[in-house]
Amino acid sequence: MSENKEITILKSGGEEWGSGSAQYIDFIITEDCNLRCKYCYICHKQTGHTMPLETAKKFIDYLFSGAVTQMPAVVVSFIGGEPFIETDLMDQIMDYFKMKSYISGSDWCWNYRISVTTNGVNYSSTTVQKFIKKNADKISVSITIDGTKEKHDLQRVFPNGSGSYDIIEKSIPLYISQFPATTKVTFAHDDLPLLKESIIHLWKMGINDVNANVVYEDAWEVGDDIIFENQLKSLADYIIENQMYENNFVSLFDPLIGRPFDEERLRRTVCGAGVMLALGPNGKVYPCLRYKDYSINSDKAEVAIGSVDEGIDFNKVLRFRVSNCQIQCDEECLNCDVAIGCSFCQGQSYDAADTPTNFQRSKYICKMHKARVRASRYYYNRLLNEKHTKVEGMRLTPKRMYFPLADDFVSYCEMENPNTAIWEEMGPDVVEKGLEYCYENFYYPVFVHSFNNPDLSIGDKYTDHRITHIVSARHYSETKKLNDIILVFDKDTIDIPVAYQSYVILNVNWEDVSNLYAYTAKLFKITGRINLNLYGLHTESQLEVYEQELRKITDFLIESWNKNIMYEFSKITDVYFSKKQDSCNIGEKSLTIMPNGDFAICPLDYLYNSKPIGNIYNKSVLVPNQKLYSLDKAPLCVSCPATHCNRCAIRNNIDTGEVNVPSFSKCMPSMIEYKISKDFQNHFGKALGINLRTLTEYEFENPYEAFLEATDNRFGYTIV
Amino acid sequence: MNIDKVQITNEEIKQFEAIDEKRNALRNLIFICENNELLRNEDLYSKFLTDISKTENERTQLWNDIMDKYNIHDDEHHELELDFQSGIITCVPKS
């Protein structure tokens, strides 16, 4: 396997100052601006609406009166309109804030930052430079420059309609000499075709760290997502061809986006509205400036949470504190395969919602987000495959598409492939169409190679895709050029020397189960994790031997875990990491494409049932009775504590006639494994400081007994 | 100077950061007192001067502790620089 170098996704500025420990306080010191940017969300700018110094002082007095608890640090932001048209006011407010915080004995007197986001028009003026110099160690400034002159002047114009690029460009060298060079770029319908050249232009100006986003508003037209995706892919090509990927960043490419929601993300919302405080010129306090009337486009009322005269009414803050994605998203978003990174502005969502609620997220960027996810994957896949550069934080999602490349594909799960010879291989046309389908529908492709005669040069051909290759260890020497491989070992390949693998599969026949520990001990010399598959039918005596072998493996694990080497053996350690039963997601998230182009639930299902669920040529997929594949519809599995069991719908179907009902022969080894895992747990306690699931005593022989107890169903015969 | 590079701990970086933040804030407060007539206050001004002197002493003490811990010896031709992001102290010729 090729050596991957890790590059960090941290941008040049590193972690945001005070991240997680700072209170954000915004002073909207003016509602006026010297520009009239076409995409600006402050849709009701007003001349003359400037914050009186006394209003700011009252608010500062309130903050230090003891009425509001304080975070350890504070970020005081000045926004507008354009804050640098009121620089003297900003300076007076800060002087008062600093003195007041000192007198109050607050840590905010030293643990603070000033943040200013400006259009840059006045940046080089004596007044602004004096303010920056005075606060040199405590201030961060972000100038908005949108890219090329054409792109910038398309949106960022003076009230007379003329572009502002020329005047702002002159200040950029001074800005770069004073601050880490960064900017925030916004793209809308009109300027999408200028995206690539704009980002490159900013990099060439010396702004290496570009934050960019698309507008959240209802401003997109049919086909914009395609333009966006093509621009991003073209930018990716440019970065890679010009070796610019280690020193230039644009936030549109992000390795962390494009996964389904997890529980932790559902519990949070997208921004700090209601945690931060924004003071308006009129003395009202807002959860964020986007809830102030000057930013509301609909006929809804602005949302204030208090005022400098009456303080903050926490009842009005509550709606923001309890907001989270679980409540704010609809079913489509909650079930989206690529939900992470699809951001929204809570204030804009309130503005666009059907009723005046904070609990209905805006979805106008849905297609644009999906285009961004596809382009991001394209970029990082090319980096990995062509530059052998693996980006920190990138994770594969559970949505996989399996490509059994030949009839004799290597067995990789608990169902053994009965085919030992090749009659049919997958042709390039099906492979390409399948990969295209994966790209469009956010599947990760998994190539399951021929056991006997794999074509491993296939990895060179599709560098736009992140492909996992499952290969028999007997072909290890041919896998050097592949980035993601999973080697499959069996008794005949157990001694093949291979380089360290993070994860391997071990296939063992029940007849050979007495050698399980010996095989495992050998493999742990070259890997940190073994996924075990047992094939053939077991007898009662084989189960006894299996338990003995697992106990030997447990002794090995106890020794290693006590040395802080956390080897994982699927049948013993997986149960600590899952509260609900795992599965390979077939029928739900995973899909298979057969060599003839048919879609199948899984390769084994197709072999046993010969029933396709669609075809790549018409791109249709329909899983009949799909609900039966979900854990909720598996009556014996849903409450089973042996969550590592990897319930196999195909095997269930063969054994019991239903995909969601396991046989006793499936459950019995799982019960033994659970018992062993529970015993193992007593030996390591809270190993390595990781929060592992605590296993409890299972009082039943098998899940059917538990089911009878739970349903109070004692009728009917049993077999003795 | 007996070292080229020393890596200090995150905790030590935070100590340096906090002291520098305090020092910079106090310098700023002194500047305000000297330049903003509306906020001038002699009692506060003398408190700022006392505090900054204390903070400078704490800073010197922290440097001394770090030099002892990492066995760094001083030298009149060189000075030490701390990179707050990496936590690496390097020895550079005095400018």
Side-chain angles (χ1 to χ4, degrees), chain A residues 20-41:
Chain A
S21 66
Q23 172 69 55
Y24 283 74
I25 300 170
D26 289 357
F27 286 88
I28 305 168
I29 51 176
T30 174
E31 293 182 29
D32 197 8
C33 183
N34 42 11
L35 294 185
R36 289 292 181 273
C37 303
K38 293 173 189 168
Y39 53 41
C40 184
Y41 52 75

Side-chain angles (χ1 to χ4, degrees), chain B residues 2-19:
Chain B
N2 65 330
I3 58 125
D4 288 329
K5 266 184 188 180
V6 158
Q7 171 80 54
I8 65 171
T9 67
N10 281 341
E11 195 51 46
E12 287 159 349
I13 297 171
K14 280 181 191 160
Q15 285 177 287
F16 272 116
E17 274 177 342
I19 285 183

Side-chain angles (χ1 to χ4, degrees), chain A residues 353-636:
Chain A
D354 299 333
T355 60
T357 178
N358 204 52
F359 298 140
Q360 181 187 345
R361 73 155 289 182
S362 168
K363 297 169 61 169
Y364 298 121
I365 67 160
C366 176
K367 280 188 177 175
M368 303 303 280
H369 169 70
K370 285 176 177 167
R372 179 184 170 213
V373 171
R374 279 192 286 269
S376 269
R377 287 191 182 174
Y378 170 85
Y379 173 54
Y380 293 115
N381 291 344
R382 282 200 62 194
L383 270 186
L384 177 69
N385 292 323
E386 295 171 35
K387 302 296 176 187
H388 304 298
T389 300
K390 196 172 185 178
V391 178
E392 202 177 275
M394 197 159 180
R395 281 193 303 173
L396 301 182
T397 66
K399 199 174 167 185
R400 312 262 160 100
M401 187 188 287
Y402 291 91
F403 289 65
L405 296 174
D407 291 328
D408 70 330
F409 63 85
V410 61
S411 296
Y412 62 94
C413 64
E414 69 173 70
M415 287 294 290
E416 188 175 27
N417 179 8
N419 291 332
T420 53
I422 303 175
W423 299 293
E424 188 175 14
E425 288 180 283
M426 191 175 287
D429 184 47
V430 173
V431 172
E432 280 159 25
K433 287 228 168 335
L435 288 173
E436 189 183 303
Y437 189 88
C438 288
Y439 174 76
E440 287 168 0
N441 296 284
F442 309 108
Y443 284 92
Y444 273 107
V446 179
F447 282 9
V448 190
H449 287 268
S450 161
F451 180 81
N452 294 299
N453 192 23
D455 172 14
L456 294 167
S457 67
I458 202 166
D460 296 341
K461 294 176 191 159
Y462 306 109
T463 57
D464 301 357
H465 301 272
R466 173 98 185 249
I467 302 169
T468 298
H469 299 267
I470 301 181
V471 186
S472 166
R474 71 195 65 233
H475 304 292
Y476 171 70
S477 62
E478 303 156 52
T479 62
K480 297 277 193 285
K481 281 188 172 176
L482 302 177
N483 279 304
D484 282 325
I485 60 166
I486 298 172
L487 291 176
V488 182
F489 287 84
D490 53 39
K491 69 182 168 74
D492 298 326
T493 54
I494 204 80
D495 291 315
I496 287 178
V498 302
Y500 181 81
Q501 309 289 310
S502 56
Y503 155 44
V504 301
I505 292 171
L506 170 63
N507 292 342
V508 175
N509 199 292
W510 274 106
E511 287 174 2
D512 193 25
V513 76
S514 60
N515 287 314
L516 184 60
Y517 169 68
Y519 296 155
T520 304
K522 283 181 180 176
L523 284 183
F524 273 136
K525 288 178 182 160
I526 59 99
T527 189
R529 173 177 172 82
I530 299 170
N531 256 27
L532 175 67
N533 298 315
L534 286 160
Y535 296 133
L537 294 171
H538 54 73
T539 62
E540 206 155 303
S541 63
Q542 281 167 345
L543 283 175
E544 283 168 23
V545 176
Y546 181 50
E547 183 168 349
Q548 289 160 15
E549 292 293 301
L550 287 181
R551 292 214 179 272
K552 289 186 212 165
I553 295 168
T554 304
D555 290 342
F556 173 87
L557 292 175
I558 290 168
E559 199 175 316
S560 67
W561 282 38
N562 284 332
K563 290 179 192 163
N564 280 5
I565 306 168
M566 208 160 161
Y567 287 114
E568 290 180 28
F569 184 75
S570 61
K571 301 292 186 189
I572 297 175
T573 57
D574 280 8
V575 72
Y576 303 124
F577 298 96
S578 54
K579 287 180 184 162
K580 289 182 181 173
Q581 274 235 348
D582 277 339
S583 80
C584 54
N585 288 313
I586 66 159
E588 295 183 288
K589 296 278 181 192
S590 295
L591 189 61
T592 292
I593 181 166
M594 298 305 293
N596 62 3
D598 278 348
F599 283 132
I601 287 172
C602 101
L604 278 305
D605 183 61
Y606 192 81
L607 289 183
Y608 285 105
N609 297 322
S610 303
K611 282 185 186 158
I613 55 167
N615 191 280
I616 189 63
Y617 294 102
N618 56 25
K619 294 188 175 180
S620 64
V621 182
L622 179 68
V623 180
N625 254 328
Q626 186 170 27
K627 64 176 185 179
L628 298 179
Y629 294 88
S630 73
L631 179 61
D632 293 346
K633 302 289 181 192
L636 300 183

Side-chain angles (χ1 to χ4, degrees), chain A residues 675-689:
Chain A
K675 189 171 71 174
I676 299 272
S677 300
K678 195 184 162 303
D679 292 347
F680 175 39
Q681 156 183 279
N682 299 331
H683 291 276
F684 64 77
K686 289 196 170 173
L688 312 173

Side-chain angles (χ1 to χ4, degrees), chain A residues 108-131:
Chain A
W108 285 4
C109 81
W110 60 270
N111 208 8
Y112 69 90
R113 279 289 182 280
I114 305 165
S115 169
V116 185
T117 301
T118 174
N119 60 33
V121 172
N122 292 345
Y123 187 77
S124 300
S125 72
T126 312
T127 320
V128 169
Q129 284 303 307
K130 202 173 143 196
F131 179 73

Side-chain angles (χ1 to χ4, degrees), chain A residues 12-15 17 57 91-92 94-96 98-99 102-103 107 109-113 134-138, chain B residues 17-29 31-33 36 38-41 44 47-48 51 85:
Chain A
S12 50
E15 195 177 75
W17 185 86
K57 281 181 171 178
D91 189 36
Q92 288 169 318
M94 269 325 296
D95 279 1
Y96 188 78
K98 291 167 193 171
M99 295 292 270
Y102 182 88
I103 293 164
D107 278 354
C109 81
W110 60 270
N111 208 8
Y112 69 90
R113 279 289 182 280
K134 177 176 172 182
N135 295 288
D137 301 306
K138 298 281 191 182
Chain B
E17 274 177 342
I19 285 183
D20 274 17
E21 292 281 357
K22 282 176 191 165
R23 186 174 67 154
N24 295 336
L26 284 163
R27 283 178 177 171
N28 203 281
L29 285 164
F31 181 86
I32 294 167
C33 258
N36 188 334
L38 295 173
L39 296 171
R40 186 165 295 156
N41 179 318
L44 278 177
K47 271 195 87 182
F48 296 155
D51 281 1
Q85 286 209 357

